[in-house]
């Protein structure tokens, strides 16, 4: 993770677009807005150290047995609520994940300049920066409450 002073070395002016200095300022602002990245300035990231927010989910199963005859047969009625936490409050039970990306720099908004390959003075690789927003995504399907009803006959 580059220091604030080094960041400008990774960018070139985009004709008709942002300058290297503007891209470096935006990149530095992104790094400073992330507690983990800002703590690692001038060093390397550690494997699996940047994490998504904690996933909290509680499920509930309700079941009731109804006797059918005196011979031990019965019906079981059940209701399963998956992600009960989201049913109680829409901001609870949200499931986060890091999507698979084609390279590790895409989740921090860096796109390598490959065609033609470019390097700045001092052999610094050249990137363009666009703010990626969050480095993780929300799984909207698994973040909502789901209910499953069931009937079982035991004989």
């Amino acid at each position: 993770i580059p220091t604030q002073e080094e960041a400008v070395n990774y960018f070139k002016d985009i004709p008709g677009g942002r300058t290297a200095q503007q891209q470096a300022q935006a990149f530095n602002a992104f790094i400073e807005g992330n507690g983990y990245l800002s703590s690692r300035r001038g060093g390397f990231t550690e494997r699996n150290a940047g994490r998504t927010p904690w996933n909290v989910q509680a499920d509930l199963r309700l079941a009731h047995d109804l006797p059918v005859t005196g011979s031990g047969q019965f019906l079981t009625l059940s209701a399963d609520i998956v992600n009960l936490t989201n049913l109680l409050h829409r901001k609870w039970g949200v499931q986060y994940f890091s999507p698979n990306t084609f390279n590790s720099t895409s989740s921090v908004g860096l796109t390598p300049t490959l065609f033609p390959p470019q390097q700045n003075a001092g052999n610094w690789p050249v990137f363009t920066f666009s703010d990626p927003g969050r480095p993780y995504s929300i799984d909207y399907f698994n973040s909502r409450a789901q209910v499953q009803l069931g009937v079982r006959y035991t004989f």
Side-chain angles (χ1 to χ4, degrees):
I1 300 173
T3 63
Q4 286 190 341
E5 298 77 29
E6 287 178 332
V8 73
N9 296 327
Y10 289 97
F11 303 101
K12 276 193 172 182
D13 294 344
I14 299 172
R18 297 187 306 167
T19 66
Q21 187 63 38
Q22 290 171 326
Q23 292 180 75
Q25 287 173 345
F27 184 56
N28 282 328
F30 174 75
I31 290 173
E32 291 305 316
N34 183 301
Y36 176 71
L37 293 177
S38 62
S39 73
R40 304 294 299 170
R41 283 273 194 184
F44 294 95
T45 59
E46 299 166 324
R47 178 181 288 231
N48 299 324
R51 306 207 184 261
T52 61
W54 190 258
N55 291 328
V56 176
Q57 177 178 325
D59 300 335
L60 177 68
R61 177 177 176 81
L62 301 171
H64 184 70
D65 292 336
L66 299 171
V68 175
T69 63
S71 63
Q73 299 177 4
F74 55 93
L75 281 175
T76 302
L77 304 176
S78 63
D80 295 297
I81 302 173
V82 178
N83 204 351
L84 174 68
T85 45
N86 188 255
L87 185 63
L88 297 174
H89 190 280
R90 68 181 181 93
K91 292 187 178 182
W92 296 348
V94 175
Q95 302 296 308
Y96 303 98
F97 71 98
S98 293
N100 293 329
T101 55
F102 68 94
N103 79 37
S104 60
T105 60
S106 63
S107 62
V108 293
L110 296 174
T111 304
T113 304
L114 299 175
F115 301 106
Q118 297 181 18
Q119 291 184 323
N120 282 330
N123 292 326
W124 295 90
V126 177
F127 297 92
T128 56
F129 176 74
S130 58
D131 191 344
R134 295 183 305 231
Y136 56 85
S137 297
I138 295 174
D139 183 349
Y140 291 104
F141 181 76
N142 288 317
S143 293
R144 62 181 148 196
Q146 301 174 54
V147 177
Q148 176 177 306
L149 302 175
V151 178
R152 180 175 67 182
Y153 178 64
T154 304
F155 55 95

